[in-house]
Amino acid sequence: MSGPMRIANRDSIGALLCLVLLASCTSTRPTLKIGLIAPFEGVHRSLGYEILGAVRLAVQQQNAAGGVAGYGIELAALNDDGVPATAARQVAALAADPGVVAIIGPWQMETAQAAAPALQAAGLAAIIPAPLPDADLALAPNAYRLFAGDDALAQALLTAIPTGARLETRGAAVAWSSRLTILLPTPDPAATTVIVLTGDAEDVARQLTISPCVGTMTSCLAGPSAGEPLVAARTGDAANGLLWVTSLTRPACDGQAADFCQAYQTATGAAPGAYAALAYDAAAVLFAAIEASAQPQRVDVLATLGSIVRQGVSGIIRFSAQRSWEAAPARLYRGGDLLEFP
């Protein structure tokens, strides 16, 4: 049984969306908080609530098991609307609460880029389950990326490009697309053209509605933003030829993730998607870092996070010396189906 959810005043960007303290935390047990930044309103609302359901489930289960290091866990979830400037402000809002020891999020490349400098200033350990570019990650020494890096994303897309193909980039160049251009062999002027869609989910959806991706499997390529729920909802069949790369993986509900899937379904009334799986894993990694810390304080959690190794529903999670998910998957999808290329 969970306590009441307090919905923030929409006019206050820094206000708390929800604060969840589960009943298994007794009145005599001390508590600490983890923060969550995700889009709970606006066009990305469905993404945010898929994530929220998984993190709330992880908190509930951890508290039911006795908490972490003798502490009960509270969840402080803030809405960023999928807007970069808002994400940065929400980092500052969480940093102002001394009870918050670590953060999960933001969840989109653009919001993560905007939040990275604020995270460094806050001194908060953060797990960022988003394709934060390598250069931005390097500037935020307390951030850990739970996603593949620029090169891995580009290398995965490269396997799907026909020999000699020419790239036509639609949208501003981003880290993974710039790397893809460098990796591409010299194109053949007579070869096919592969369209590369960059930008956030709204940009990708807009490009697809203007010029649908149809035809061969590699007619259009895109980055992780193409896998956000908004793209499929807005484009329908226009995205049938779109191939995109991501580190997200749907949980194996008929296999090792069966318990997670059943618990998520019971808690939310919906089957978990790939974002839910990664959110659940991010919370579990934070709990492990708190448990292993000398004291459940920001500086100690930050010092411990990089040493955590955990089998999650998304795979084995450990961080490299560059604070990125070591051996993170970079998978190709088309029409929602996982693809494999030689």
Side-chain angles (χ1 to χ4, degrees):
M1 175 179 173
S2 63
M5 178 182 291
R6 296 191 283 118
I7 303 298
N9 183 338
R10 286 279 293 147
D11 294 330
S12 177
I13 290 178
L16 202 64
L17 171 71
C18 66
L19 180 61
V20 181
L21 174 59
L22 296 152
S24 55
C25 299
T26 68
S27 60
T28 58
R29 183 164 64 185
T31 62
L32 52 81
K33 301 174 187 175
I34 61 170
L36 172 66
I37 299 174
F40 301 115
E41 299 296 338
V43 297
H44 302 289
R45 175 186 172 92
S46 61
L47 169 63
Y49 276 91
E50 179 183 339
I51 292 163
L52 179 62
V55 179
R56 290 185 66 182
L57 173 62
V59 171
Q60 180 180 26
Q61 291 176 335
Q62 192 67 40
N63 282 335
V68 180
Y71 288 75
I73 303 294
E74 297 182 21
L75 172 62
L78 299 183
N79 169 40
D80 66 16
D81 280 323
V83 175
T86 304
R89 287 194 290 268
Q90 300 298 43
V91 170
L94 289 173
D97 184 344
V100 175
V101 298
I103 295 175
I104 300 171
W107 285 80
Q108 296 157 299
M109 183 182 73
E110 294 78 13
T111 53
Q113 285 180 288
L119 284 170
Q120 181 179 1
L124 276 167
I127 294 179
I128 299 182
L132 181 68
D134 296 349
D136 295 282
L137 180 63
L139 296 175
N142 54 333
Y144 286 77
R145 180 177 60 197
L146 194 57
F147 217 92
D150 306 341
D151 188 70
L153 296 174
Q155 291 280 5
L157 286 171
L158 188 65
T159 64
I161 298 176
T163 302
R166 294 176 293 110
L167 300 185
E168 178 186 324
T169 301
R170 296 181 180 175
V174 293
W176 60 262
S177 68
S178 295
R179 184 61 183 157
L180 180 61
T181 300
I182 293 171
L183 293 172
L184 191 71
T186 302
D188 179 350
T192 185
T193 296
V194 175
I195 297 168
V196 179
L197 304 180
T198 63
D200 62 17
E202 289 189 89
D203 291 331
V204 171
R206 188 179 305 112
Q207 289 285 352
L208 288 171
T209 55
I210 294 171
S211 180
C213 282
V214 294
T216 66
M217 186 174 296
T218 54
S219 59
C220 293
L221 304 179
S225 62
E228 292 182 29
L230 177 146
V231 175
R234 288 192 177 180
T235 61
D237 291 344
N240 283 350
L242 180 66
L243 183 149
W244 73 93
V245 63
T246 185
S247 289
L248 295 165
T249 306
R250 292 193 192 92
C253 291
D254 57 351
Q256 67 176 19
D259 290 344
F260 161 68
C261 293
Q262 182 176 357
Y264 186 92
Q265 179 86 43
T266 300
T268 68
Y275 281 98
L278 200 58
Y280 187 78
D281 286 343
V285 170
L286 272 191
F287 298 154
I290 296 168
E291 186 73 50
S293 298
Q295 295 290 331
Q297 298 173 353
R298 292 180 180 182
V299 63
D300 297 291
V301 175
L302 178 58
T304 305
L305 186 55
S307 65
I308 299 302
V309 179
R310 186 174 182 86
Q311 173 66 59
V313 295
S314 303
I316 296 176
I317 296 174
R318 64 166 60 88
F319 294 106
S320 68
Q322 291 73 41
R323 292 170 288 103
S324 188
W325 184 2
E326 191 169 276
R331 298 186 171 96
L332 298 175
Y333 286 85
R334 179 174 181 264
D337 297 324
L338 177 65
L339 301 178
E340 293 186 6
F341 285 84

